[in-house]
Amino acid sequence: MDFDVVYSHSAKSEKIKLNINEIMRYMGQGNYDDRVNELIKALLPISFEKAMPKASFVLKKLIRDDDRLLAGNVKIKSRSLEKALDGCDRAIVFAMTLGAETDRLIASKSTESASVHTLSAIATAMLEEYADLVCDELGSFLKSQQLHLLPRFGVGYGDFSLAHQADILDMCEGYKRCGITTTNSLMLVPTKSITGVMGVRK
Amino acid sequence: MNIMDIFGKELLFFDGAMGTILQKRGLPIGEMPEKWNIDKPDEILKIHTEYLEGGANIICANTFGANLLKFERDGKYSLDAIVKEGIGIAKKALTKTKCQKKHFVALDVGPLGKLLRPLGDLDFEEAVSIFAETIALGEKYGADLVLIETMNDLYETKAAVIAAKENSHLPIFVTNAYDKNGKLMTGASPEAVCATLEGLGVDAIGINCSFGPKEMLPIVKRLCEVASVGVVVCPNAGLPTFKNGETTYDTDAKSFADIMEEIAKCGASALGGCCGTTPEHINEMTQRLSGFKPKPITDKGLSVIASYTHAVEFGKRPVIIGERINPTGKKVFKEALLRRDMDYILDVGLKQAELGAQVLDVNVGLPEIDEAEMLSKTVCALQAVTDVPLQIDTSDEKAMEKALRLYNGKAMINSVNGKAESMEKVFPLVKKYGGVVVALTLDEDGIPDSYEKRVEIAKKIYAKAMEYGIDKKDIIVDTLAMTISTNEKNALIALDALSEIHNMGGLTSLGVSNISFGLPSRDFINSTFFTMALTKGLSAAIINPHSAEMMKAYNSFLALAGYDKSCAGYIEFAKTVSETVMTEPKKADKKDEDVGLKGAIIKGLCDSAYKNAKELLSTFDAIDIIEKEIVPALDVVGKGYEEKTLFLPQLLISAEAAKAAFEAIREKLGGKGATDGKITVIAATVEGDIHDIGKNIVKAMLENYGFSVVDLGKDVKCEKVAEAVRETKAPLVCLSALMTTTVPSMEKTVELIKKVSPDTKVMVGGAVLTEDYAKAMGADKYGKDAMAAVRYAEELMKNE
């Protein structure tokens, strides 16, 4: 994997394996309930149909300058990110999404609050599983090059300020490759999207 | 020379990538390439020259990202300077290169990098004005055409095209970026894109970026099959992907040329390249296709409308238009409209879609309301929740224009008629925004009582439409179903006129249920008339999809007329019909338990709750049912939720069942709820925040407990909240915010509410908030969940 080259990734949603218990957890459902279980099962097919998982990422050299991390032209001051990248001289900057049709699907049920809540939870679970799938593939690839991939650290985690959202997206061409944008208040759109950094260690 | 003089007659070649080449030549990732128009113009000139020498006809100025979201009005890198220099460098390249080919400079207009509402937070008109500035500059500085490219959203594409139409006279070429599933990122099919853009009057459509030419081929074929304008194709080559643990690169110059030759044979009128392509790719392609004669551009004669996802074609299978979004003769709907109850209106639309309506008629005309404002609001709200195409139904041309402008797709328009005044008002709108317009066969002399005269009016309308450049394919003639209760010949007149127009090659529609006005058991007359009309060639019908009789007639016709392969559709349909009213199969409860209304709500059984409520209403007052059954049921569930024996999903499922019971009550009371004495609550997600699931849950719970909720939506400015407080004098406002970045908006909103109405209480909630935050910003209450909102509202009500 070359430095400063942006790679695209996509997957068919059927490749993503979901655990209903995980979905229930995202829904805030503290115990098993038949009706909730049925509602999830009823909405899973359409959720899979509409999801278009995509990612883009770029490998960047890291330089530490005083208390800031530098990657390309971007300077980040964050103790928690620094900790997450401890021992790394490079990192993968990424953006991932399920796409705009997932947002539309959730909106299409706006008059049914139970369905909206369920679809949102399914999508969150799907996004996390897709992110794990991408990280697994990247991890295996890097391992073959005697490199170790650290867990992902999202923009907004700890003191990794949301103000870096646009920089992170630009670095991995998140808009061009995945259609991810930010609102004026730095929310990601489509809403089922994540951005962040993963350290790479020798 | 105008490019349109030769477009379609000879194969034209666009240039290739700019951005990826600049990156190879030192432009850092994330830096704006347009700045090199000022800082390194020679590099840009060099690249343009290489493409021209490689055989390109059309050079795209380095203005892809040149817009006011990225550049300022003044300064070294002002928008004006970027566009001026960008076009200037391209023109310089044309003069410098001594080549015999005809050359043109395109103003290159790329996406703004922001999603439009309702998905994002960029307003449609704001997008139009941003594009307008760039495009006006492009024409000023001598561009030969506008190329709107790499658009992955149909709505943003429309905004750019409207900006181009309103701010320049240049030819407009549009190429979109598709996903591997063959749609735009926001869901539009090639057919929907084609219908919308041709409706807007663009000069060429196409595809660029996305992926390599091989993956593009199926989409190119689809575009060439439906397009009546030229098709432009500019694929990627050489963008790295990561698949199955390997990095792979796309197409080299020779493979690129091989597939571009195939694409040319499909019918493309212009070819070029996008990301990863180089002058070598373009040169290989132009050499291969030198002298190639493109297929002529032909009118496919398709009559289509589109939503933001798909197109609906007329003239093949008859199309059903759901009639229920209309206050005429519907007391409940009228009350909802006066209350501005958008949820109710959306529900009416969504239910029709579930029952098989392929188009939704949208009529919100009432003398008591601002129709232009309400119609556009309803259109925007509907297209946020459903992708069924809409029929804009109004006689107010201001309302029609506003709605057509904001519509995401190519709308159906109801209607125009044979009066000169009507045609003069409506046809310019159809021409500007695109649309398939229903044409009523009446004129200044009224409604003719013979079929021959109605056909004459139709011909008059066709002829007048042609003067505006509107083809017959975009007109659907309504031969007017007048009630047989006033003249027993009315059905035959309408049908004879319909038959004649069908035989002339025209499209037809009918407002079917008008035929039985004034008669009992109207469904029997309606469905028989419907069948008669279908056999005469009816293209579209405005009907009630809830009517089992009508849907039986429709589905039976499809099967009998050979539209339903293996009668599969009919067999599926037959499972759903056993009564006089259509049921929505997904909503039916699996267990038909008789648990009473209270039990149905606790168990979350929607169908059972509705039926039980209806039954009880025959004996008891609504207020008794609410107080003795519904509220106690909700209290059981609410208590369980607070004690953590039940959880949010169960609360919501029960809330849905309670909502169904309230629906039965609303129907019985003719639109009024039983909320007298209950306070009004305003709910909103604050400015900058586009998440509304939490707010909607609070709203659902409050409504279930009988509170009247004014839902202002999401991303709501503080002034709008304050205005709503002033207007409604609501004693409680519930505000929601999900992110720390939007907490300042919440603070500002709280402050303003207290200024305009010090007695109004404010409750705040959302993932990012805490009790301390709430106190610090001056809110009266922190709402940790939906039940907290209900309890607080009840407490306030006691004190009122």
Side-chain angles (χ1 to χ4, degrees):
Chain A
M1 191 181 289
D2 296 323
F3 282 102
D4 300 323
V5 172
V6 179
Y7 296 91
S8 298
H9 182 283
S10 62
K12 284 195 177 7
S13 59
E14 299 86 69
K15 250 186 118 178
I16 298 171
K17 303 280 173 255
L18 290 181
N19 181 322
I20 288 200
N21 291 331
E22 263 307 281
I23 297 168
M24 287 215 191
R25 192 175 66 81
Y26 283 120
M27 289 175 75
Q29 183 59 33
N31 55 19
Y32 178 81
D33 182 285
D34 244 343
R35 297 166 299 165
V36 177
N37 188 48
E38 269 173 36
L39 186 56
I40 293 171
K41 282 191 174 152
L43 293 171
L44 275 174
I46 189 85
S47 298
F48 277 108
E49 187 191 314
K50 296 295 183 183
M52 289 278 302
K54 270 194 205 176
S56 64
F57 46 84
V58 60
L59 182 65
K60 303 294 286 186
K61 281 194 182 118
L62 290 177
I63 300 165
R64 284 161 178 83
D65 175 11
D66 291 336
D67 56 352
R68 292 169 306 174
L69 276 165
L70 293 129
N73 289 334
V74 177
K75 301 175 180 55
I76 301 169
K77 190 172 171 175
S78 162
R79 265 185 226 248
S80 36
L81 180 63
E82 181 62 75
K83 203 172 159 189
L85 299 177
D86 188 35
C88 301
D89 65 346
R90 64 198 76 183
I92 289 178
V93 177
F94 68 87
M96 304 189 201
T97 185
L98 292 187
E101 289 204 76
T102 295
D103 276 7
R104 284 222 194 270
L105 171 62
I106 296 170
S108 73
K109 299 287 181 189
S110 64
T111 57
E112 299 167 35
S113 46
S115 297
V116 164
H117 186 59
T118 307
L119 285 168
S120 180
I122 291 172
T124 301
M126 210 181 279
L127 181 62
E128 286 299 311
E129 286 300 316
Y130 173 59
D132 287 346
L133 189 150
V134 174
C135 292
D136 283 346
E137 284 187 24
L138 276 172
S140 305
F141 174 77
L142 289 167
K143 198 173 173 186
S144 70
Q145 314 207 319
Q146 283 79 54
L147 292 167
H148 178 60
L149 182 68
L150 297 185
R152 52 187 184 266
F153 196 85
V155 178
Y157 284 15
D159 63 351
F160 185 8
S161 171
L162 281 173
H164 294 294
Q165 197 73 286
D167 289 331
I168 294 291
L169 271 179
D170 278 346
M171 262 203 272
C172 59
E173 296 184 352
Y175 177 72
K176 185 170 161 179
R177 305 293 185 111
C178 308
I180 304 172
T181 68
T182 57
T183 64
N184 290 338
S185 47
L186 305 174
M187 269 169 225
L188 293 175
V189 179
T191 57
K192 298 301 176 186
S193 304
I194 48 173
T195 52
V197 182
M198 294 182 273
V200 178
R201 207 155 52 195
K202 284 193 181 132
Chain B
M1 167 181 279
N2 189 316
I3 191 172
M4 298 312 293
D5 294 337
I6 58 169
F7 185 61
K9 296 181 181 117
E10 39 183 286
L11 187 63
L12 296 180
F13 298 100
F14 275 83
D15 57 9
M18 173 65 75
T20 45
I21 294 188
L22 289 179
Q23 279 169 4
K24 282 182 186 159
R25 295 184 190 186
L27 179 78
I29 289 178
E31 181 62 274
M32 290 185 279
E34 295 77 20
K35 283 186 173 175
W36 279 25
N37 290 349
I38 311 294
D39 294 335
K40 297 189 182 185
D42 289 342
E43 285 293 336
I44 308 293
L45 178 66
K46 204 166 150 205
I47 295 169
H48 285 327
T49 309
E50 286 169 23
Y51 280 125
L52 285 166
E53 287 167 355
N57 295 94
I58 305 159
I59 293 298
C60 298
N62 183 26
T63 55
F64 179 84
N67 60 66
L68 283 175
L69 288 186
K70 294 179 187 158
F71 294 94
E72 303 288 333
R73 282 208 168 83
D74 308 298
K76 183 182 176 191
Y77 302 111
S78 71
L79 180 66
D80 188 286
I82 295 284
V83 174
K84 183 180 178 185
E85 294 308 314
I87 292 175
I89 297 166
K91 283 190 169 298
K92 192 172 172 185
L94 295 199
T95 345
K96 202 178 144 200
T97 314
K98 292 172 180 56
C99 183
Q100 298 306 308
K101 274 190 177 177
K102 299 167 192 98
H103 291 115
F104 306 92
V105 170
L107 172 74
D108 192 354
V109 178
L112 299 176
K114 286 209 159 285
L115 272 175
L116 272 61
R117 279 190 233 277
L119 288 171
D121 63 345
L122 183 61
D123 188 61
F124 179 83
E125 291 297 346
E126 196 184 341
V128 172
S129 70
I130 294 168
F131 283 124
E133 291 238 19
T134 305
I135 291 168
L137 287 172
E139 185 171 45
K140 179 180 170 186
Y141 292 121
D144 298 304
L145 66 145
V146 177
L147 173 67
I148 296 165
E149 60 150 319
T150 323
M151 296 285 178
N152 56 16
D153 172 39
L154 185 60
Y155 210 25
E156 189 181 6
T157 312
K158 179 172 176 172
V161 171
I162 288 185
K165 281 162 68 99
E166 291 178 345
N167 292 276
S168 86
H169 300 93
L170 297 174
I172 304 170
F173 284 35
V174 182
T175 58
N176 292 91
Y178 287 80
D179 272 346
K180 281 187 178 152
N181 64 357
K183 298 190 233 178
L184 301 191
M185 182 194 65
T186 47
S189 68
E191 293 78 15
V193 173
C194 180
T196 305
L197 296 183
E198 284 190 7
L200 289 168
V202 305
D203 298 286
I205 63 170
I207 172 173
N208 81 291
C209 207
S210 315
F211 23 74
K214 197 169 167 199
E215 286 112 319
M216 238 181 222
L217 205 41
I219 299 172
V220 173
K221 284 180 179 162
R222 283 170 73 177
L223 283 172
C224 290
E225 259 168 52
V226 298
S228 301
V229 295
V231 174
V232 178
V233 183
C234 299
N236 285 346
L239 266 192
T241 58
F242 189 82
K243 198 172 178 177
N244 301 322
E246 277 182 8
T247 54
T248 59
Y249 287 78
D250 269 348
T251 331
D252 65 20
K254 188 187 169 299
S255 321
F256 186 81
D258 287 341
I259 307 169
M260 293 310 276
E261 187 176 0
E262 237 182 290
I263 285 175
K265 287 174 183 167
C266 285
S269 303
L271 307 173
C274 199
C275 299
T277 56
T278 63
E280 200 196 333
H281 286 84
I282 301 301
N283 187 40
E284 187 77 34
M285 175 179 67
T286 58
Q287 292 292 321
R288 181 76 63 85
L289 291 165
S290 166
F292 183 92
K293 202 96 173 91
K295 279 189 183 170
I297 299 168
T298 54
D299 186 351
K300 304 303 187 292
L302 299 175
S303 302
V304 273
I305 57 171
S307 69
Y308 56 83
T309 58
H310 66 284
V312 170
E313 193 179 345
F314 296 98
K316 300 206 163 113
R317 250 170 101 104
V319 172
I320 289 184
I321 303 164
E323 67 179 18
R324 305 290 293 166
I325 300 177
N326 188 328
T328 312
K330 295 187 199 74
K331 199 173 171 198
V332 178
F333 190 92
K334 187 178 168 182
E335 292 292 328
L337 207 47
L338 290 170
R339 264 195 332 266
R340 302 173 73 83
D341 186 348
M342 197 50 69
D343 272 0
Y344 182 87
I345 297 169
L346 295 182
D347 235 0
V348 171
L350 288 169
K351 282 188 173 125
Q352 292 183 96
E354 276 175 40
L355 290 169
Q358 292 128 2
V359 181
L360 296 176
D361 182 75
V362 184
N363 181 330
V364 293
L366 277 181
E368 299 97 318
I369 63 174
D370 178 347
E371 191 180 351
E373 189 258 334
M374 194 62 191
L375 182 59
S376 53
K377 187 178 169 181
T378 306
V379 163
C380 289
L382 277 167
Q383 62 192 18
V385 301
T386 178
D387 68 350
V388 175
L390 304 180
Q391 175 169 266
I392 313 274
D393 185 351
T394 178
S395 54
D396 178 334
E397 75 271 15
K398 281 201 186 77
M400 190 183 282
E401 167 147 35
K402 205 167 167 188
L404 281 176
R405 190 174 174 87
L406 292 173
Y407 180 71
N408 190 354
K410 181 185 175 189
M412 200 162 167
I413 301 159
N414 191 349
S415 56
V416 73
N417 60 55
K419 293 182 189 173
E421 189 193 11
S422 170
M423 290 190 280
E424 277 156 27
K425 279 186 187 157
V426 174
F427 283 149
L429 296 179
V430 176
K431 185 65 188 168
K432 181 171 181 182
Y433 295 108
V436 168
V437 62
V438 175
L440 309 181
T441 51
L442 63 95
D443 62 11
E444 286 84 352
D445 297 327
I447 300 172
D449 54 10
S450 77
Y451 82 88
E452 292 95 339
K453 286 187 185 157
R454 293 190 195 183
V455 173
E456 282 311 305
I457 293 176
K459 286 180 183 171
K460 182 172 79 168
I461 293 172
Y462 285 146
K464 192 69 183 172
M466 278 308 290
E467 290 176 24
Y468 287 88
I470 298 165
D471 193 87
K472 195 166 149 185
K473 69 182 182 185
D474 283 330
I475 297 174
I476 295 193
V477 178
D478 186 328
T479 57
L480 299 174
M482 308 302 292
T483 178
I484 54 171
S485 65
T486 55
N487 179 353
E488 68 277 1
K489 298 250 186 292
N490 274 341
L492 296 172
I493 296 168
L495 291 175
D496 285 345
L498 191 159
S499 180
E500 181 113 348
I501 286 164
H502 174 71
N503 292 337
M504 277 163 45
L507 297 165
T508 55
S509 111
L510 282 172
V512 176
S513 50
N514 294 336
I515 203 71
S516 63
F517 187 77
L519 296 172
S521 300
R522 292 179 63 179
D523 259 0
F524 304 139
I525 296 279
N526 291 345
S527 59
T528 308
F529 179 62
F530 187 26
T531 306
M532 290 167 74
L534 286 168
T535 59
K536 300 277 185 192
L538 183 68
S539 315
I542 303 177
I543 68 165
N544 177 7
H546 289 265
S547 160
E549 294 303 319
M550 296 299 278
M551 295 309 284
K552 280 177 200 169
Y554 178 69
N555 283 280
S556 303
F557 175 81
L558 290 181
L560 291 162
Y563 289 112
D564 184 1
K565 196 170 164 144
S566 311
C567 300
Y570 178 79
I571 292 167
E572 250 339 279
F573 163 76
K575 294 176 190 169
T576 64
V577 188
S578 57
E579 303 172 33
T580 53
V581 176
M582 298 290 296
T583 55
E584 298 139 47
K586 288 165 197 168
K587 282 275 169 86
D589 297 318
K590 281 185 187 158
K591 301 168 201 145
D592 201 18
E593 296 178 39
D594 184 12
V595 289
L597 177 54
K598 189 173 170 187
I601 292 172
I602 292 171
K603 286 175 182 284
L605 304 171
C606 289
D607 204 37
S608 179
Y610 178 82
K611 283 183 183 145
N612 272 286
K614 236 181 142 106
E615 234 170 80
L616 287 170
L617 281 164
S618 59
T619 328
F620 299 100
D621 285 339
I623 197 76
D624 286 334
I625 295 170
I626 292 168
E627 284 178 3
K628 292 183 178 137
E629 296 280 328
I630 299 179
V631 170
L634 289 172
D635 278 345
V636 166
V637 178
K639 197 164 172 235
Y641 176 73
E642 283 159 342
E643 291 172 357
K644 295 191 183 355
T645 55
L646 291 176
F647 300 90
L648 182 60
Q650 290 148 317
L651 185 73
L652 295 177
I653 289 170
S654 291
E656 291 286 307
K659 190 176 163 190
F662 275 113
E663 189 58 39
I665 290 173
R666 203 200 300 261
E667 282 167 16
K668 178 76 193 270
L669 296 182
K672 292 183 174 44
T675 56
D676 292 349
K678 292 263 186 173
I679 60 172
T680 298
V681 181
I682 292 172
T685 303
V686 297
E687 185 177 3
D689 203 312
I690 56 168
H691 298 91
D692 63 355
I693 294 178
K695 182 263 296 169
N696 288 343
I697 289 171
V698 166
K699 177 187 164 187
M701 292 309 299
L702 285 169
E703 284 180 335
N704 274 337
Y705 275 84
F707 293 96
S708 174
V709 180
V710 174
D711 182 0
L712 299 178
K714 56 189 180 183
D715 187 17
V716 184
K717 288 189 184 338
C718 58
E719 292 82 9
K720 194 170 173 196
V721 178
E723 192 191 312
V725 169
R726 259 193 294 256
E727 263 177 36
T728 62
K729 300 187 188 1
L732 175 60
V733 178
C734 293
L735 299 174
S736 141
L738 191 76
M739 311 260 292
T740 50
T741 48
T742 54
V743 166
S745 290
M746 188 173 263
E747 285 172 6
K748 211 170 135 194
T749 309
V750 173
E751 196 185 321
L752 191 57
I753 293 169
K754 292 299 181 185
K755 212 182 256 179
V756 308
S757 179
D759 292 338
T760 295
K761 301 294 182 198
V762 182
M763 177 182 230
V764 298
V768 77
L769 288 170
T770 61
E771 190 89 54
D772 290 337
Y773 258 147
K775 219 177 261 177
M777 66 173 72
D780 298 286
K781 188 83 180 167
Y782 164 61
K784 63 179 177 64
D785 56 40
M787 282 313 298
V790 171
R791 300 293 177 231
Y792 188 54
E794 283 179 331
E795 188 187 311
L796 286 179
M797 209 179 71
K798 277 196 195 119
N799 297 338
E800 282 256 312

